[in-house]
Amino acid sequence: MIRINKHYQKLKASYLFSDIAGRVKAYQEAHPDQELIKLGIGDVTLPLCPACIRAFEEGVREMGQEESFRGYGPEQGYLFLQKAIAAGDYASRGVSIDPEEIFISDGAKCDTGNFQELFSQDITVAVPDPVYTVYVDTNVMAGRTGEWKNGVYENLIYLSSGSQTAFLPPLPRQRADLIYLCFPNNPTGAVAGRDELTKWVAYAQENRSLILFDGCYESYITDDALPHSIFEIPGAKEVAVELRSFSKTAGFTGTRCAFTVVPRECRAFNEAGGEVKLHPLWNRRQSTKFNGVSYPVQRAAEAIYTPEGQKQVREQVAYYLANAALIRSALTDLGLETFGGVHSPYIWVNVKRDSWEFFDELLARAQVVCTPGSGFGPGGAGYIRISAFNSRANVEKALSRLSALRLAP
Ligand code: PLP
């Protein structure tokens, strides 16, 4: 008898964004002539920059000619892109990363979801709360949690943070083997300073834990004094793996390219407590289950690191950050308490009431779509997330609709 993975049945009925899509669709069907402005889902809206498009087209042209055609590429990614990342993202900040420690992939979502399979099923897992839901759901699927009860999964450590601690998650009170960190954070926009990250690295060293550091929004950090990578912290290479993506940096959400850095020093432990390096394990996993990102896409990603590409993608990030500043200041003027939006494209808003109720009200009264905070974990209750990934015109229109409402509690 073919039997299913019983852990899938523990998953909450649906994924946050499908819930939102369902409500939006129902509203649109009932009000076909109303124009909606979507400040909800974290998808970008600006097109790929000219430098990336040129490299992309050139890559496609090469694939169309016998002398430059390429079949399967290296599962780990092409060396030209690994080298560009090592130089552009790491050496430029004084961090030495060997290009072969960088694994190119088709998305940080897959990498965050897949990496946990290197670990034993009985490890303890800690996730910030609120946070990107993929960390939680993939551990549920892997059978590391108990049932969903009273709004939380049993046997999962929630590192609940609030406005009093600037949404920085606290160290776990009980021992956590695998810890997910996400800075700048989705959804709160919180960013960690050097002392904060140093504290986490020390915890992981003392407790023989591993940190999965999701730095997908790194390019939104506007203060050069803040760490852009966990590897800027001494000792982090033994205890952390870093995930990055070109999705929000360069508009690659539909093009798909990301990478995971697994330093050669990075370790976990076997049943007998002996050290096992993660680099060869992840290499084995990727070589077995993944066949690489397409050549033209990797050429397009490489172009981000040229002077022209850097200028163009920075302009895109600056555009979204300017939207974020507008949203933040307009909502503050309306009397709402806001967080994030400075080193992040997300503005986290304290609506002081049920976040789905606020979502429905915003949809019905302003035809603006946001993301209810409770979808990011129990700690998101009473908040909504607004995304700056839209055109300036749409952001301005949405804000003028909101200013006509009394939104503050
Ligand atoms: N990590 C975080 C925190 C995200 O918010 C997202 C996308 O929204 C991802 C990872 C996924 O990135 P990718 O598009 O590379 O799969």
Side-chain angles (χ1 to χ4, degrees):
M1 173 168 74
I2 175 71
R3 286 186 300 133
I4 54 146
N5 172 352
K6 65 180 184 207
H7 304 298
Y8 272 62
Q9 293 188 304
K10 294 178 194 161
L11 289 166
K12 272 190 297 158
S14 76
Y15 182 59
L16 169 66
F17 292 106
S18 357
D19 274 356
I20 296 175
R23 290 190 194 213
V24 168
K25 187 163 170 268
Y27 184 85
Q28 262 175 331
E29 277 166 10
H31 308 89
D33 39 307
Q34 288 191 350
E35 181 214 21
L36 294 188
I37 303 178
K38 296 186 179 168
L39 301 180
I41 197 161
D43 199 357
V44 293
T45 46
L46 292 174
L48 294 180
C49 70
C52 290
I53 286 295
R54 200 166 332 111
F56 208 163
E57 283 172 347
E58 176 58 23
V60 172
R61 207 186 50 74
E62 283 180 50
M63 294 297 269
Q65 288 172 358
E66 208 170 337
E67 55 292 357
S68 49
F69 167 78
R70 294 167 190 245
Y72 290 124
E75 292 97 346
Q76 301 77 4
Y78 284 102
L79 192 58
F80 62 77
L81 179 55
Q82 293 168 308
K83 279 186 171 168
I85 294 167
D89 282 333
Y90 292 100
S92 61
R93 292 199 55 88
V95 178
S96 158
I97 294 288
D98 182 310
E100 290 185 2
E101 293 175 318
I102 299 168
F103 292 82
I104 311 298
S105 78
D106 59 354
K109 186 184 206 173
C110 330
D111 286 353
T112 41
N114 293 332
F115 211 88
Q116 52 73 31
E117 73 178 59
L118 299 191
F119 308 114
S120 170
Q121 203 185 16
D122 57 5
I123 57 164
T124 49
V125 179
V127 291
D129 173 34
V131 86
Y132 183 55
T133 52
V134 174
Y135 313 149
V136 175
D137 288 357
T138 51
N139 278 287
V140 175
M141 291 169 176
R144 289 202 186 86
T145 70
E147 297 296 331
W148 170 256
K149 268 198 196 137
N150 305 323
V152 291
Y153 283 102
E154 294 170 322
N155 307 337
L156 185 65
I157 304 170
Y158 288 85
L159 306 171
S160 303
S161 62
S163 56
Q164 322 81 310
T165 55
F167 291 98
L168 295 173
L171 289 176
R173 267 185 260 131
Q174 66 266 60
R175 208 193 130 99
D177 301 315
L178 177 60
I179 300 155
Y180 290 81
L181 291 180
C182 175
F183 293 116
N185 184 272
N186 175 13
T188 65
V191 66
R194 206 164 293 275
D195 290 350
E196 190 63 24
L197 292 186
T198 303
K199 195 174 85 180
W200 280 104
V201 168
Y203 176 92
Q205 280 168 340
E206 272 160 39
N207 293 279
R208 304 171 113 201
S209 317
L210 184 91
I211 298 170
L212 269 193
F213 186 84
D214 187 338
C216 280
Y217 297 94
E218 171 275 332
S219 54
Y220 288 79
I221 299 176
T222 45
D223 180 352
D224 239 25
L226 287 167
H228 285 229
S229 161
I230 193 158
F231 301 130
E232 290 179 41
I233 309 301
K237 284 187 180 177
E238 286 105 67
V239 300
V241 163
E242 180 161 293
L243 303 113
R244 295 251 189 117
S245 169
F246 298 113
S247 284
K248 311 300 160 77
T249 304
F252 272 53
T253 52
T255 308
R256 310 306 301 147
C257 199
F259 62 91
T260 290
V261 183
V262 189
R264 288 220 167 73
E265 298 92 310
C266 191
R267 89 299 172 251
F269 300 89
N270 62 22
E271 297 297 307
E275 238 183 61
V276 180
K277 299 290 188 215
L278 289 179
H279 186 278
L281 281 194
W282 184 242
N283 192 32
R284 186 75 171 84
R285 191 268 170 212
Q286 290 297 82
S287 315
T288 304
K289 296 195 178 180
F290 183 60
N291 247 340
V293 176
S294 84
Y295 173 74
V297 167
Q298 293 193 59
R299 280 292 184 203
E302 182 195 22
I304 294 168
Y305 294 94
T306 60
E308 186 198 5
Q310 280 292 288
K311 182 172 171 291
Q312 293 168 356
V313 296
R314 285 191 179 149
E315 277 166 12
Q316 294 197 340
V317 168
Y319 179 87
Y320 294 131
L321 282 173
N323 281 350
L326 281 178
I327 296 168
R328 202 182 144 119
S329 101
L331 295 182
T332 308
D333 289 350
L334 288 174
L336 291 162
E337 192 183 14
T338 60
F339 303 87
V342 177
H343 305 293
S344 156
Y346 299 126
I347 298 93
W348 187 237
V349 190
N350 187 354
V351 294
K352 298 190 174 153
R353 61 190 153 123
D354 180 74
S355 52
W356 277 109
E357 188 189 299
F358 193 88
F359 169 93
D360 286 333
E361 183 179 335
L362 219 54
L363 183 59
R365 293 180 62 206
Q367 293 76 50
V368 170
V369 182
C370 66
T371 312
S374 57
F376 297 98
Y383 286 83
I384 57 153
R385 186 193 77 176
I386 301 231
S387 142
F389 292 130
N390 212 319
S391 66
R392 183 69 39 80
N394 275 344
V395 165
E396 282 168 352
K397 201 189 284 180
L399 294 177
S400 86
R401 288 185 195 172
L402 298 190
S403 67
L405 308 177
R406 274 174 61 85
L407 289 174

